[in-house]
Amino acid sequence: MANTAIELPPKGGFSFDLCRRNEMLAKKGVQSPSFRKTGTTIVGLVFQDGVILGADTRATEGPIVCDKNCEKIHYMAPNIYCCGAGTAADTEAVTDMVSSQLELHRYATGRESRVVTALTLLKSHLYSYQGHVSAALVLGGVDCTGPHLHTIYPHGSTDTLPFATMGSGSLAAMAMFESRYREGMTREEGIKLVCQAICSGIFNDLGSGSNVDVCVITKGQKEYLRNYELPNPRTYVSSKGYSFAKGHTEVLSTKITPLKEHVKIIEGDAMEE
Amino acid sequence: MDMDWINAPHSMGTTIIGVTYNGGTVLGADSRTSTGMYVANRASDKITQLTDNVYLCRSGSAADSQVVSDYVRYFLHQHIIQLGQPATVKVTANLIRLLSYNNKNTLETGLIVGGWDKYEGGSIYSVPLGGTMLQLPFAIGGSGSSYLYGFLDQAWKDGMSKEEAEALVVKCVSLAIARDGASGGVVRTVVINSEGVTRNFYPGDKLPLWHEELPLRNSLLEEASSEAEPMHA
């Protein structure tokens, strides 16, 4: 019987080994890198034929906009899409993971995926991580039981609603929805209201901006309208374009360093495939 | 940006109440789910079905109470198959109590189990934070319940009829909504007896007005411009 302890592979979940090191670094004044978050305004609403999801396209890293046109409406199944707010890595990873699980489930059952299946898979995953997976989602889709719209919070609780908003711009978007939503809207009215809500978030919330993405899901059909509205175009672009011809920049000094080969074959045969 | 409330856990400030009457039980709850200072869902349903004759009122952390109710519904379903007859309220309450007590360090949820079975008739069990189980003729829970203890001491009577019991439940929840910031929205009730289950819904503007509350009036701005009708709770 060996006396040495066997290094078991980690069973999953978070490893908190580096927490003490991080605390020590923080005391010394080293700032930890900020996460890439999607500040975000995401919305969803149920209309007469199905579900419409909407999202802005700004991704932020602290105060900097790191992606002016990111995609926040993620594919889950041919009839189910999910908008994600919170840490971008978390929303991407969790939606990809559940999307694969749904595909395997479709092969096993031979049927179209249901929205409640995606809901249960997402909520159990998020609950088991006790809120540390920072993903706030708006899940919508149409299946054999009808159109469904759910919100999922990072701690794993869910709500089922006719219209929903999430993210830092959720208050601005909800104000639009609360005053203008009606049951049984047509497709055009629904898309218009979703755009108004997202624009409200884009213009009134610092964490949201750039363009509006819309996704319309109906029975048997889905339309992913990427960049449906571009309310923030680049206002000035020189019509002549910008040219940087030689001679415009003054050369102060020149130094040329030839790169030498560092690889020498000493002995033996050359490597073969 | 001070947006800590966005990542705050989804909790149900809540007022929940369960009352037995001669012949069954009436469960009642408000409909507000808050995330910090924001109302995340103003029309939530806090009375969830566990089986045909037993329902559960949830309060505290939304995630924890949803998970507990999902597990108990699953265990209860298996129990019913094995038993071959409808589950009793006592067994349901015990399942809730076992989960609550054995996970007391991680869970934060106060629950009221109510239902009807052929052995005990209507019964109410309260399972508050630590996982105690108490069988009571009536039970209250959630942050809004603080405002109801004195009221129920005076207003509760044994042997009420179904209408009296439901009216009492609606009155209680609306009084708590008036005083508790974390409770609001609509009042939902569920009446369970030998005949079956009836769900009722009392929108905010149909509730009685209490001290210093003003009657509903359409804003003049709305009357001046004719926009689309705003959606009521």
Side-chain angles (χ1 to χ4, degrees):
Chain A
M1 224 18 169
N3 281 333
T4 53
I6 302 167
E7 269 284 337
L8 289 167
K11 283 203 197 117
F14 290 117
S15 158
F16 294 98
D17 297 339
L18 292 173
C19 286
R20 270 175 50 196
R21 179 208 75 159
N22 293 343
E23 267 169 37
M24 187 263 303
L25 284 174
K27 271 202 213 98
K28 287 198 175 163
V30 175
Q31 271 173 334
S32 56
S34 56
F35 298 110
R36 182 193 203 239
K37 298 191 128 247
T38 47
T40 308
T41 307
I42 49 174
V43 306
L45 63 73
V46 175
F47 72 112
Q48 72 187 16
D49 303 321
V51 163
I52 306 178
L53 301 174
D56 74 304
T57 60
R58 173 181 286 183
T60 52
E61 235 169 46
I64 303 169
V65 175
C66 59
D67 191 344
K68 289 182 274 191
N69 205 4
C70 74
E71 278 186 29
K72 299 186 191 181
I73 307 185
H74 309 284
Y75 168 89
M76 297 288 271
N79 57 323
I80 306 172
Y81 274 75
C82 185
C83 305
T87 305
D90 287 341
T91 58
E92 279 284 345
V94 94
T95 49
D96 272 353
M97 184 191 82
V98 171
S99 170
S100 322
Q101 289 179 345
L102 284 176
E103 193 170 345
L104 288 170
H105 193 248
R106 278 201 292 286
Y107 294 136
T109 56
R111 290 175 169 80
E112 191 185 56
S113 296
R114 298 194 190 186
V115 184
V116 285
T117 316
L119 181 73
T120 310
L121 289 168
L122 286 164
K123 73 151 48 176
S124 8
H125 180 83
L126 292 174
Y127 183 77
S128 61
Y129 282 92
Q130 288 289 296
H132 290 284
V133 173
S134 175
L137 311 165
V138 171
L139 175 74
V142 180
D143 57 35
C144 58
T145 50
H148 296 276
L149 180 69
H150 303 281
T151 51
I152 309 166
Y153 289 81
H155 286 263
S157 59
T158 59
D159 284 315
T160 308
L161 296 160
F163 58 90
T165 65
M166 293 279 259
S168 55
S170 61
L171 264 61
M174 187 51 98
M176 272 297 167
F177 273 173
E178 283 284 20
S179 48
R180 292 172 198 205
Y181 179 82
R182 279 174 307 111
E183 269 181 44
M185 287 191 291
T186 63
R187 192 196 129 95
E188 287 66 39
E189 292 173 332
I191 295 182
K192 179 168 167 228
L193 182 55
V194 162
C195 282
Q196 283 174 333
I198 299 286
C199 284
S200 171
I202 285 173
F203 295 120
N204 300 104
D205 174 44
L206 298 179
S208 314
S210 299
N211 318 120
V212 181
D213 283 350
V214 173
C215 184
V216 184
I217 310 172
T218 50
K219 180 96 188 130
Q221 204 204 13
K222 57 139 192 280
E223 264 177 82
Y224 185 70
L225 303 164
R226 169 82 171 141
N227 287 359
Y228 180 75
E229 222 176 272
L230 297 112
N232 291 302
R234 202 167 144 200
T235 41
Y236 179 74
V237 185
S238 160
S239 53
K240 286 178 282 188
Y242 300 93
S243 64
F244 302 98
K246 263 192 184 162
H248 276 152
T249 313
E250 193 190 333
V251 177
L252 298 174
S253 70
T254 313
K255 178 180 171 195
I256 301 173
T257 313
L259 295 173
K260 278 194 282 235
E261 261 187 39
H262 286 272
V263 178
K264 275 194 307 186
I265 301 172
I266 311 159
E267 226 177 85
D269 304 320
M271 197 170 98
E272 280 171 12
E273 270 294 310
Chain B
M1 254 190 298
D2 183 26
M3 290 282 211
D4 294 328
W5 57 262
I6 287 186
N7 294 321
H10 213 33
S11 90
M12 297 177 299
T14 308
T15 308
I16 49 173
I17 170 170
V19 148
T20 54
Y21 69 92
N22 120 37
T25 52
V26 182
L27 297 173
D30 74 308
S31 69
R32 177 173 288 185
T33 312
S34 42
T35 324
M37 283 288 118
Y38 178 62
V39 176
N41 188 352
R42 60 175 166 84
S44 48
D45 185 8
K46 303 182 189 181
I47 312 179
T48 45
Q49 180 182 30
L50 295 177
T51 177
D52 294 334
N53 53 317
V54 184
Y55 279 66
L56 175 72
C57 290
R58 302 180 288 112
S59 78
S61 156
D64 290 347
S65 63
Q66 281 178 9
V67 152
V68 167
S69 74
D70 286 345
Y71 270 111
V72 171
R73 195 182 302 126
Y74 166 67
F75 293 141
L76 207 52
H77 185 221
Q78 295 184 320
H79 167 72
I80 290 170
I81 290 172
Q82 290 182 320
L83 194 64
Q85 61 185 33
T88 57
V89 189
K90 181 181 276 190
V91 166
T92 315
N94 265 295
L95 286 169
I96 298 260
R97 186 253 314 175
L98 285 171
L99 277 174
S100 258
Y101 180 75
N102 290 326
N103 295 293
K104 60 161 74 193
N105 292 320
T106 47
L107 291 175
E108 190 197 299
T109 171
L111 304 160
I112 296 180
V113 189
W116 182 93
D117 56 55
K118 67 184 187 197
Y119 300 105
E120 301 283 326
S123 38
I124 290 280
Y125 289 81
S126 174
V127 183
L129 243 49
T132 333
M133 189 177 83
L134 292 165
Q135 183 181 16
L136 300 162
F138 67 90
I140 49 179
S143 57
S145 63
S146 324
Y147 307 100
L148 297 175
Y149 285 101
F151 174 71
L152 276 166
D153 282 345
Q154 182 259 339
W156 158 263
K157 291 187 317 288
D158 203 5
M160 285 188 287
S161 71
K162 178 171 84 153
E163 289 71 28
E164 287 176 328
E166 192 168 357
L168 180 66
V169 162
V170 173
K171 191 171 182 186
C172 279
V173 182
S174 73
L175 279 168
I177 285 176
R179 286 289 180 180
D180 179 32
S183 303
V186 307
V187 179
R188 295 191 195 272
T189 61
V190 174
V191 181
I192 314 169
N193 52 33
S194 56
E195 277 129 52
V197 175
T198 325
R199 271 190 173 273
N200 285 318
F201 163 81
Y202 300 85
D205 56 350
K206 296 281 182 297
L207 297 173
L209 291 168
W210 305 115
H211 177 55
E212 277 182 344
E213 288 191 311
L214 300 171
L216 177 77
R217 205 188 77 167
N218 282 331
S219 86
L220 295 174
L221 189 66
E222 247 167 55
E223 281 161 16
S225 63
S226 35
E227 276 275 307
E229 277 282 357
M231 187 168 128
H232 284 290

